[in-house]
């Protein structure tokens, strides 16, 4: 149900805000096991949790997983990945993801340029 998905999204977001990407990922896996479909917000929270823990590759993996499940990322999804690369000082990695945004018809916002 959509109510169930919303509850899972809230828990995943709380774990992400607490900087606990493994717990957030566990909730996503449980959500999938219950045949509830994670949405862009859910995946973006996971990507953001990777940024909070300086794990850019983890964030990039979640963004790639979105593509595999045919879920279109949004500007916030990309900004979270860019932020995670910036936090570890990987300017080239951040620029790589910034350059990919127009390929998906996404325009970087001022947040993407200031991370």
């Amino acid at each position: 149900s959509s109510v169930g998905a919303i509850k899972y999204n809230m828990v995943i977001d709380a774990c992400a805000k607490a900087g606990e990407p493994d717990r957030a990922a566990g909730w996503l896996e449980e959500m999938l096991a219950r045949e509830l479909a994670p949405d862009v917000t859910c995946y973006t929270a996971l990507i953001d949790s990777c940024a909070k823990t300086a794990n850019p590759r983890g964030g990039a993996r979640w963004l790639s997983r979105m593509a595999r499940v045919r879920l279109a990322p949004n500007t916030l999804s990309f900004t979270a990945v860019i932020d995670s690369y910036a936090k570890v000082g990987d300017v080239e990695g951040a620029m790589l993801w910034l350059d990919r945004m127009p390929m998906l018809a996404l325009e970087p916002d001022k947040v993407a340029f200031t991370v």
Side-chain angles (χ1 to χ4, degrees):
S1 78
S2 64
V3 172
I6 291 168
K7 288 179 182 178
Y8 275 94
N9 278 346
M10 290 172 61
V11 172
I12 290 167
D13 187 54
C15 291
K17 286 181 177 165
E20 297 184 25
D22 293 337
R23 278 186 70 196
W27 284 107
L28 180 124
E29 296 303 333
E30 183 174 322
M31 187 178 185
L32 291 170
R34 293 179 182 257
E35 299 182 0
L36 296 170
D39 62 9
V40 173
T41 302
C42 184
Y43 279 97
T44 300
L46 284 160
I47 295 166
D48 190 49
S49 71
C50 292
K52 288 184 179 0
T53 58
N55 179 6
R57 287 192 177 105
R61 277 193 302 273
W62 285 114
L63 193 63
S64 296
R65 186 168 173 180
M66 287 177 73
R68 284 196 309 274
V69 299
R70 303 190 190 288
L71 191 59
N74 60 23
T75 301
L76 292 174
S77 308
F78 270 88
T79 301
V81 171
I82 294 164
D83 183 43
S84 66
Y85 278 93
K87 283 185 174 165
V88 298
D90 185 347
V91 175
E92 289 178 22
M95 290 302 297
L96 174 85
W97 287 99
L98 186 64
D99 290 343
R100 290 181 182 178
M101 291 180 74
M103 293 179 217
L104 296 171
L106 294 173
E107 288 293 320
D109 59 10
K110 56 183 157 180
V111 175
F113 285 113
T114 59
V115 293

